[in-house]
């Protein structure tokens, strides 16, 4: 109930990291395209098969002097997978310990989400794109609660031959058609493009499999690089189009991998990819790294080593846009802030920090990967302190969602989204 809000406010106030003044407001007024790279893991960056880069386009972006890239960025999803990633990016709230928060609470809860905030504070037009049925992960309802003005799901895409693979429209076709809609949105816009082709079981048609597969001997793992390569090519085609139309100049690209593509059940294959005899729980924690990068003309790029994750994306963008998240009920910290605590909670209560890692109950030195089997008294105290933060952070975020607490929380200058004003049905011609 209403009384639960105050302790959450207090906790978040204590852990508010604040912005870095150098970056504050630097992208205000630019279009934002969030490119959701399905099941894309960090190790794919610069990875080669038979001497060929799997993802040359994304690699180039990663190393570009106009890209702020992060190499210690982790996904933090639970059973809600893609939807948990969306929940974190749009709200800086964690998914739930079980099930998908977007499905369970997306229809009824009140949210103070990125689309609504950007629209109300800065006049952004907001749209999400996904090449499958609108009901998947309850997007058609949750997006209304998030305040998305437009949701271009499959029904908005012209039908063509061999359009689908796996979870929906193939990325090249999807991004090409999505770009036509993008061009027509009033600017500035905040748009999210959710790719699907690089999704287990990594199916792709023969004409798109010119890239060699992995040779781990695990049939469900080996084609992963082929669909990742296809995704990379689709990104190249999108970027070329944005360059050609001039849209790129005015646009900030945000790329992120939503979660692992190869689950921890495939230990033998993971060992082969890492070139190790055996994988430890430490390796499995590091295996959860996904890319996060922000690219725009004139941006001071470089590879940032701060430890963070999906929960931190929204506060980062807010500061870059010059919207202070000081008063928001958001659980992340700006990735560019110097005051971050750099504690990365996983949804199961494990965690990573620059110094220590806890994975499946084992503790490790994060720098060396060495297991700490006999922690000193001081280390034990440090572990306990980190654990307390992680448990509280996750638990309070769950309270916000389970108790629908944002309905009690008035944000100055923010009007609650009226879901009834939004419809995503395509007008019948
Ligand atoms: C479904 C697609 C994949 O619409 O986004 O979801 P996932 O299985 O990755 O959660
Ligand atoms: Mn996903």
């Amino acid at each position: 109930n209403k009384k639960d809000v105050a302790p959450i406010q207090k906790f978040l106030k204590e852990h508010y990291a604040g912005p870095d003044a150098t970056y504050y407001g630097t992208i205000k007024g630019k279009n934002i395209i969030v490119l959701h790279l399905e099941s894309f893991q960090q190790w794919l960056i610069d990875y080669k098969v038979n001497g060929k880069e799997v993802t040359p386009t994304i690699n180039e972006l990663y190393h570009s002097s106009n890209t702020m890239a992060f190499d210690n960025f982790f996904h933090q999803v639970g059973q809600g997978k893609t939807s948990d990633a969306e929940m974190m990016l749009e709200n800086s709230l964690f998914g739930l310990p079980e099930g998908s928060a977007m499905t369970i609470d997306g229809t009824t809860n009140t949210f103070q989400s990125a689309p609504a905030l950007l629209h109300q504070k800065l006049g952004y037009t907001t749209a999400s794109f996904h090449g499958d049925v609108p009901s998947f992960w309850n997007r058609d309802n949750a997006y209304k609660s998030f305040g998305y003005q437009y949701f271009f799901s499959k029904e908005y895409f012209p039908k063509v031959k061999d359009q689908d693979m796996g979870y929906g429209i193939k990325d090249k076709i999807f991004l090409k058609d999505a770009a036509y809609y993008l061009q027509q949105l009033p600017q500035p816009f905040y748009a999210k493009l959710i790719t699907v082709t690089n999704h287990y079981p990594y199916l792709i048609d023969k004409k798109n499999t010119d890239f060699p597969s992995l040779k781990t001997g695990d049939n469900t793992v080996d084609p992963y690089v082929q669909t990742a390569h296809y995704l990379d090519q689709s990104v190249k085609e999108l970027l070329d189009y944005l360059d050609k139309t001039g849209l790129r100049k005015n646009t900030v690209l945000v790329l992120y991998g939503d979660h692992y593509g190869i689950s921890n059940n495939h230990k033998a294959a993971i060992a082969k990819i890492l070139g190790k005899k055996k994988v430890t729980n430490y390796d499995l924690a590091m295996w959860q790294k996904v890319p996060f990068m922000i690219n725009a003309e004139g941006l001071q790029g470089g590879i940032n080593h701060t430890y963070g994750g999906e929960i931190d994306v929204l506060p980062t963008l807010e500061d870059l846009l010059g919207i202070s998240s000081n008063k928001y009920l958001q659980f992340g910290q700006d990735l560019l802030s110097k005051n971050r605590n750099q504690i990365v909670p996983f949804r199961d209560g494990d965690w990573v920090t620059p110094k220590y890692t806890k994975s499946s109950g084992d503790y490790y030195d994060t720098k060396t990967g060495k297991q700490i089997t006999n922690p000193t008294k001081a280390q034990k105290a440090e572990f306990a302190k980190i654990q307390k933060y992680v448990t509280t952070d996750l638990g309070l975020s769950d309270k916000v969602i389970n108790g629908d607490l944002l309905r009690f929380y008035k944000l100055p200058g923010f009007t609650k989204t009226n879901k009834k004003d939004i419809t995503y049905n395509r007008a019948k011609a």
Side-chain angles (χ1 to χ4, degrees), residues 2-18:
K2 204 171 172 167
K3 284 203 201 81
D4 293 329
V5 177
I8 297 172
Q9 251 180 306
K10 186 171 169 270
F11 174 83
L12 292 177
K13 199 173 168 190
E14 272 164 30
H15 297 282
Y16 178 66

Side-chain angles (χ1 to χ4, degrees), residues 36-40 80-83 85 137 139 194-195 198-199 258-260:
H36 169 113
L37 305 171
E38 181 57 44
S39 304
F40 198 103
K81 302 288 292 291
T82 295
S83 67
W137 286 130
R139 286 185 177 97
I194 304 171
T195 63
N198 187 44
H199 190 293
D258 65 339
H259 49 73
Y260 58 86

